[in-house]
Amino acid sequence: MPLLEVKNLSVRYKVRSAWFRKPRYLQAVNDVSFSLERGETLGLVGESGCGKSTLGKALVKLETPCAGEILLDGKDLIRAKGHELKQMRKQFQMIFQDPYGSLNPRLSIFSSLDEVISMHNRLPGSRRREKAAELLEMVGLTAEALNRYPHQFSGGQRQRIGIARALAANPDFIVADEPVSALDVSVQAAIVNLLQEIQEKRHTSFLFIAHDLAVVEHISARILVMYLGNIVECAPARELVSSPRHPYTQALLSAVPSPGKGLQNRIRLTGDVPSPLAPPSGCPFHERCPFARERCKVEKPPVTVINDGGRSFACWYPR
């Protein structure tokens, strides 16, 4: 059984409008389904505003879905409340995108870590401090950092502290929401390597959210491609990069420069991403797709599954 199963998940937001008008809704995540195995890293890519972060937050109960199911170890996460939810929270955590905004500047590093340690572990004060020091050592920092404050650290060091905080509950599943996008390129590789080391040691499952396909390919076993709140393709990382089936995936990959070749055979998409307040009929990508036909404008393609479930895509005319 997969560690995490997401079935037909949707998240929408009510948009403020004049009192005499019908309420409008922004569809951030639309009928998304996928699974995550134990010890697996699943990549999630797409343009800014496509719903990646909203999906990640819904998986850790920071957003409320309007439809669908989230099963963690077979338990219904959406409907869990009270003591049951508190017990389930030990199993999932989140690493946030902004290492500067995700730590409370008024709390020492020990206090930030101890908030999580004391919530999920019955340990005396001295043992909690030892636990915090162990977590920092695990992410490449020393116990000396416990008495310092966030402003005394670089962006990469703060992200390491954020990772240590996520590990404090010993979770089975972590959502990493663009954990390297705010960091220098020289630091990004170190953070990605750190996450891989943690996975090898603790067999933690990751949903790794990013818009950099090169980074996602390096760290992920499988990749989900998201467009306008919809999952349009899912495949093993190497297969998706070498033989994408959906035109949107092909356009994303064509924007990644190759060593010595630059951006040869670049697929340039026309127009802008449609508004999630008024998504197009039919295929959500048809307005920008260079291969769209009449059917694409009126009928939304179902998800086609091939290779014994190893690949899937939502396109009437896959390449």
mmCIF file with all atom_site columns, all heavy atoms in Angstrom, residues 246-259:
data_model
loop_
_atom_site.group_PDB
_atom_site.id
_atom_site.type_symbol
_atom_site.label_atom_id
_atom_site.label_alt_id
_atom_site.label_comp_id
_atom_site.label_asym_id
_atom_site.label_entity_id
_atom_site.label_seq_id
_atom_site.pdbx_PDB_ins_code
_atom_site.Cartn_x
_atom_site.Cartn_y
_atom_site.Cartn_z
_atom_site.occupancy
_atom_site.B_iso_or_equiv
_atom_site.pdbx_formal_charge
_atom_site.auth_seq_id
_atom_site.auth_comp_id
_atom_site.auth_asym_id
_atom_site.auth_atom_id
_atom_site.pdbx_PDB_model_num
ATOM 1   N N   . HIS A 1 246 ? 3.200  14.911 -23.241 1.00 0.00 ? 246 HIS A N   1
ATOM 2   C CA  . HIS A 1 246 ? 2.295  16.055 -23.270 1.00 0.00 ? 246 HIS A CA  1
ATOM 3   C C   . HIS A 1 246 ? 3.014  17.277 -23.850 1.00 0.00 ? 246 HIS A C   1
ATOM 4   O O   . HIS A 1 246 ? 4.175  17.541 -23.523 1.00 0.00 ? 246 HIS A O   1
ATOM 5   C CB  . HIS A 1 246 ? 1.800  16.377 -21.851 1.00 0.00 ? 246 HIS A CB  1
ATOM 6   C CG  . HIS A 1 246 ? 0.590  17.256 -21.825 1.00 0.00 ? 246 HIS A CG  1
ATOM 7   N ND1 . HIS A 1 246 ? 0.663  18.620 -21.991 1.00 0.00 ? 246 HIS A ND1 1
ATOM 8   C CD2 . HIS A 1 246 ? -0.726 16.961 -21.663 1.00 0.00 ? 246 HIS A CD2 1
ATOM 9   C CE1 . HIS A 1 246 ? -0.552 19.138 -21.924 1.00 0.00 ? 246 HIS A CE1 1
ATOM 10  N NE2 . HIS A 1 246 ? -1.422 18.156 -21.716 1.00 0.00 ? 246 HIS A NE2 1
ATOM 11  N N   . PRO A 1 247 ? 2.343  18.055 -24.713 1.00 0.00 ? 247 PRO A N   1
ATOM 12  C CA  . PRO A 1 247 ? 2.985  19.240 -25.305 1.00 0.00 ? 247 PRO A CA  1
ATOM 13  C C   . PRO A 1 247 ? 3.486  20.243 -24.275 1.00 0.00 ? 247 PRO A C   1
ATOM 14  O O   . PRO A 1 247 ? 4.503  20.906 -24.516 1.00 0.00 ? 247 PRO A O   1
ATOM 15  C CB  . PRO A 1 247 ? 1.866  19.843 -26.170 1.00 0.00 ? 247 PRO A CB  1
ATOM 16  C CG  . PRO A 1 247 ? 0.973  18.703 -26.487 1.00 0.00 ? 247 PRO A CG  1
ATOM 17  C CD  . PRO A 1 247 ? 1.008  17.802 -25.292 1.00 0.00 ? 247 PRO A CD  1
ATOM 18  N N   . TYR A 1 248 ? 2.813  20.376 -23.150 1.00 0.00 ? 248 TYR A N   1
ATOM 19  C CA  . TYR A 1 248 ? 3.267  21.317 -22.127 1.00 0.00 ? 248 TYR A CA  1
ATOM 20  C C   . TYR A 1 248 ? 4.588  20.852 -21.517 1.00 0.00 ? 248 TYR A C   1
ATOM 21  O O   . TYR A 1 248 ? 5.493  21.655 -21.290 1.00 0.00 ? 248 TYR A O   1
ATOM 22  C CB  . TYR A 1 248 ? 2.211  21.474 -21.038 1.00 0.00 ? 248 TYR A CB  1
ATOM 23  C CG  . TYR A 1 248 ? 2.631  22.403 -19.921 1.00 0.00 ? 248 TYR A CG  1
ATOM 24  C CD1 . TYR A 1 248 ? 2.912  23.741 -20.170 1.00 0.00 ? 248 TYR A CD1 1
ATOM 25  C CD2 . TYR A 1 248 ? 2.768  21.937 -18.617 1.00 0.00 ? 248 TYR A CD2 1
ATOM 26  C CE1 . TYR A 1 248 ? 3.307  24.601 -19.156 1.00 0.00 ? 248 TYR A CE1 1
ATOM 27  C CE2 . TYR A 1 248 ? 3.159  22.783 -17.594 1.00 0.00 ? 248 TYR A CE2 1
ATOM 28  C CZ  . TYR A 1 248 ? 3.429  24.112 -17.869 1.00 0.00 ? 248 TYR A CZ  1
ATOM 29  O OH  . TYR A 1 248 ? 3.832  24.956 -16.862 1.00 0.00 ? 248 TYR A OH  1
ATOM 30  N N   . THR A 1 249 ? 4.706  19.557 -21.251 1.00 0.00 ? 249 THR A N   1
ATOM 31  C CA  . THR A 1 249 ? 5.961  19.020 -20.734 1.00 0.00 ? 249 THR A CA  1
ATOM 32  C C   . THR A 1 249 ? 7.088  19.254 -21.736 1.00 0.00 ? 249 THR A C   1
ATOM 33  O O   . THR A 1 249 ? 8.211  19.613 -21.364 1.00 0.00 ? 249 THR A O   1
ATOM 34  C CB  . THR A 1 249 ? 5.823  17.516 -20.448 1.00 0.00 ? 249 THR A CB  1
ATOM 35  O OG1 . THR A 1 249 ? 4.673  17.283 -19.636 1.00 0.00 ? 249 THR A OG1 1
ATOM 36  C CG2 . THR A 1 249 ? 7.048  16.993 -19.715 1.00 0.00 ? 249 THR A CG2 1
ATOM 37  N N   . GLN A 1 250 ? 6.794  19.060 -23.010 1.00 0.00 ? 250 GLN A N   1
ATOM 38  C CA  . GLN A 1 250 ? 7.799  19.290 -24.045 1.00 0.00 ? 250 GLN A CA  1
ATOM 39  C C   . GLN A 1 250 ? 8.260  20.746 -24.051 1.00 0.00 ? 250 GLN A C   1
ATOM 40  O O   . GLN A 1 250 ? 9.454  21.042 -24.212 1.00 0.00 ? 250 GLN A O   1
ATOM 41  C CB  . GLN A 1 250 ? 7.223  18.911 -25.410 1.00 0.00 ? 250 GLN A CB  1
ATOM 42  C CG  . GLN A 1 250 ? 6.938  17.421 -25.547 1.00 0.00 ? 250 GLN A CG  1
ATOM 43  C CD  . GLN A 1 250 ? 6.186  17.081 -26.834 1.00 0.00 ? 250 GLN A CD  1
ATOM 44  O OE1 . GLN A 1 250 ? 5.773  17.971 -27.566 1.00 0.00 ? 250 GLN A OE1 1
ATOM 45  N NE2 . GLN A 1 250 ? 6.025  15.794 -27.088 1.00 0.00 ? 250 GLN A NE2 1
ATOM 46  N N   . ALA A 1 251 ? 7.313  21.669 -23.868 1.00 0.00 ? 251 ALA A N   1
ATOM 47  C CA  . ALA A 1 251 ? 7.662  23.090 -23.844 1.00 0.00 ? 251 ALA A CA  1
ATOM 48  C C   . ALA A 1 251 ? 8.523  23.412 -22.626 1.00 0.00 ? 251 ALA A C   1
ATOM 49  O O   . ALA A 1 251 ? 9.496  24.174 -22.727 1.00 0.00 ? 251 ALA A O   1
ATOM 50  C CB  . ALA A 1 251 ? 6.393  23.934 -23.842 1.00 0.00 ? 251 ALA A CB  1
ATOM 51  N N   . LEU A 1 252 ? 8.203  22.835 -21.462 1.00 0.00 ? 252 LEU A N   1
ATOM 52  C CA  . LEU A 1 252 ? 9.014  23.062 -20.269 1.00 0.00 ? 252 LEU A CA  1
ATOM 53  C C   . LEU A 1 252 ? 10.445 22.557 -20.473 1.00 0.00 ? 252 LEU A C   1
ATOM 54  O O   . LEU A 1 252 ? 11.413 23.238 -20.144 1.00 0.00 ? 252 LEU A O   1
ATOM 55  C CB  . LEU A 1 252 ? 8.393  22.351 -19.068 1.00 0.00 ? 252 LEU A CB  1
ATOM 56  C CG  . LEU A 1 252 ? 7.158  22.962 -18.412 1.00 0.00 ? 252 LEU A CG  1
ATOM 57  C CD1 . LEU A 1 252 ? 6.724  22.099 -17.233 1.00 0.00 ? 252 LEU A CD1 1
ATOM 58  C CD2 . LEU A 1 252 ? 7.411  24.384 -17.943 1.00 0.00 ? 252 LEU A CD2 1
ATOM 59  N N   . LEU A 1 253 ? 10.561 21.362 -21.036 1.00 0.00 ? 253 LEU A N   1
ATOM 60  C CA  . LEU A 1 253 ? 11.885 20.775 -21.236 1.00 0.00 ? 253 LEU A CA  1
ATOM 61  C C   . LEU A 1 253 ? 12.688 21.536 -22.273 1.00 0.00 ? 253 LEU A C   1
ATOM 62  O O   . LEU A 1 253 ? 13.916 21.635 -22.171 1.00 0.00 ? 253 LEU A O   1
ATOM 63  C CB  . LEU A 1 253 ? 11.740 19.304 -21.651 1.00 0.00 ? 253 LEU A CB  1
ATOM 64  C CG  . LEU A 1 253 ? 11.305 18.358 -20.534 1.00 0.00 ? 253 LEU A CG  1
ATOM 65  C CD1 . LEU A 1 253 ? 10.883 17.014 -21.099 1.00 0.00 ? 253 LEU A CD1 1
ATOM 66  C CD2 . LEU A 1 253 ? 12.434 18.170 -19.532 1.00 0.00 ? 253 LEU A CD2 1
ATOM 67  N N   . SER A 1 254 ? 12.003 22.089 -23.267 1.00 0.00 ? 254 SER A N   1
ATOM 68  C CA  . SER A 1 254 ? 12.725 22.832 -24.301 1.00 0.00 ? 254 SER A CA  1
ATOM 69  C C   . SER A 1 254 ? 13.313 24.136 -23.762 1.00 0.00 ? 254 SER A C   1
ATOM 70  O O   . SER A 1 254 ? 14.197 24.724 -24.379 1.00 0.00 ? 254 SER A O   1
ATOM 71  C CB  . SER A 1 254 ? 11.797 23.136 -25.476 1.00 0.00 ? 254 SER A CB  1
ATOM 72  O OG  . SER A 1 254 ? 10.887 24.189 -25.171 1.00 0.00 ? 254 SER A OG  1
ATOM 73  N N   . ALA A 1 255 ? 12.817 24.585 -22.600 1.00 0.00 ? 255 ALA A N   1
ATOM 74  C CA  . ALA A 1 255 ? 13.323 25.816 -21.991 1.00 0.00 ? 255 ALA A CA  1
ATOM 75  C C   . ALA A 1 255 ? 14.540 25.571 -21.114 1.00 0.00 ? 255 ALA A C   1
ATOM 76  O O   . ALA A 1 255 ? 15.101 26.518 -20.563 1.00 0.00 ? 255 ALA A O   1
ATOM 77  C CB  . ALA A 1 255 ? 12.225 26.475 -21.163 1.00 0.00 ? 255 ALA A CB  1
ATOM 78  N N   . VAL A 1 256 ? 14.941 24.296 -20.959 1.00 0.00 ? 256 VAL A N   1
ATOM 79  C CA  . VAL A 1 256 ? 16.125 23.965 -20.166 1.00 0.00 ? 256 VAL A CA  1
ATOM 80  C C   . VAL A 1 256 ? 17.332 23.933 -21.096 1.00 0.00 ? 256 VAL A C   1
ATOM 81  O O   . VAL A 1 256 ? 17.385 23.116 -22.023 1.00 0.00 ? 256 VAL A O   1
ATOM 82  C CB  . VAL A 1 256 ? 15.968 22.596 -19.470 1.00 0.00 ? 256 VAL A CB  1
ATOM 83  C CG1 . VAL A 1 256 ? 17.223 22.264 -18.670 1.00 0.00 ? 256 VAL A CG1 1
ATOM 84  C CG2 . VAL A 1 256 ? 14.745 22.586 -18.574 1.00 0.00 ? 256 VAL A CG2 1
ATOM 85  N N   . PRO A 1 257 ? 18.315 24.817 -20.921 1.00 0.00 ? 257 PRO A N   1
ATOM 86  C CA  . PRO A 1 257 ? 19.473 24.833 -21.815 1.00 0.00 ? 257 PRO A CA  1
ATOM 87  C C   . PRO A 1 257 ? 20.333 23.585 -21.664 1.00 0.00 ? 257 PRO A C   1
ATOM 88  O O   . PRO A 1 257 ? 20.507 23.070 -20.559 1.00 0.00 ? 257 PRO A O   1
ATOM 89  C CB  . PRO A 1 257 ? 20.239 26.090 -21.385 1.00 0.00 ? 257 PRO A CB  1
ATOM 90  C CG  . PRO A 1 257 ? 19.813 26.345 -19.990 1.00 0.00 ? 257 PRO A CG  1
ATOM 91  C CD  . PRO A 1 257 ? 18.394 25.851 -19.875 1.00 0.00 ? 257 PRO A CD  1
ATOM 92  N N   . SER A 1 258 ? 20.845 23.087 -22.797 1.00 0.00 ? 258 SER A N   1
ATOM 93  C CA  . SER A 1 258 ? 21.738 21.934 -22.792 1.00 0.00 ? 258 SER A CA  1
ATOM 94  C C   . SER A 1 258 ? 23.183 22.411 -22.851 1.00 0.00 ? 258 SER A C   1
ATOM 95  O O   . SER A 1 258 ? 23.479 23.403 -23.523 1.00 0.00 ? 258 SER A O   1
ATOM 96  C CB  . SER A 1 258 ? 21.453 21.030 -24.001 1.00 0.00 ? 258 SER A CB  1
ATOM 97  O OG  . SER A 1 258 ? 20.123 20.570 -23.979 1.00 0.00 ? 258 SER A OG  1
ATOM 98  N N   . PRO A 1 259 ? 24.096 21.729 -22.171 1.00 0.00 ? 259 PRO A N   1
ATOM 99  C CA  . PRO A 1 259 ? 25.503 22.139 -22.211 1.00 0.00 ? 259 PRO A CA  1
ATOM 100 C C   . PRO A 1 259 ? 26.037 22.173 -23.644 1.00 0.00 ? 259 PRO A C   1
ATOM 101 O O   . PRO A 1 259 ? 25.943 21.185 -24.373 1.00 0.00 ? 259 PRO A O   1
ATOM 102 C CB  . PRO A 1 259 ? 26.211 21.054 -21.378 1.00 0.00 ? 259 PRO A CB  1
ATOM 103 C CG  . PRO A 1 259 ? 25.147 20.491 -20.501 1.00 0.00 ? 259 PRO A CG  1
ATOM 104 C CD  . PRO A 1 259 ? 23.879 20.576 -21.277 1.00 0.00 ? 259 PRO A CD  1
#
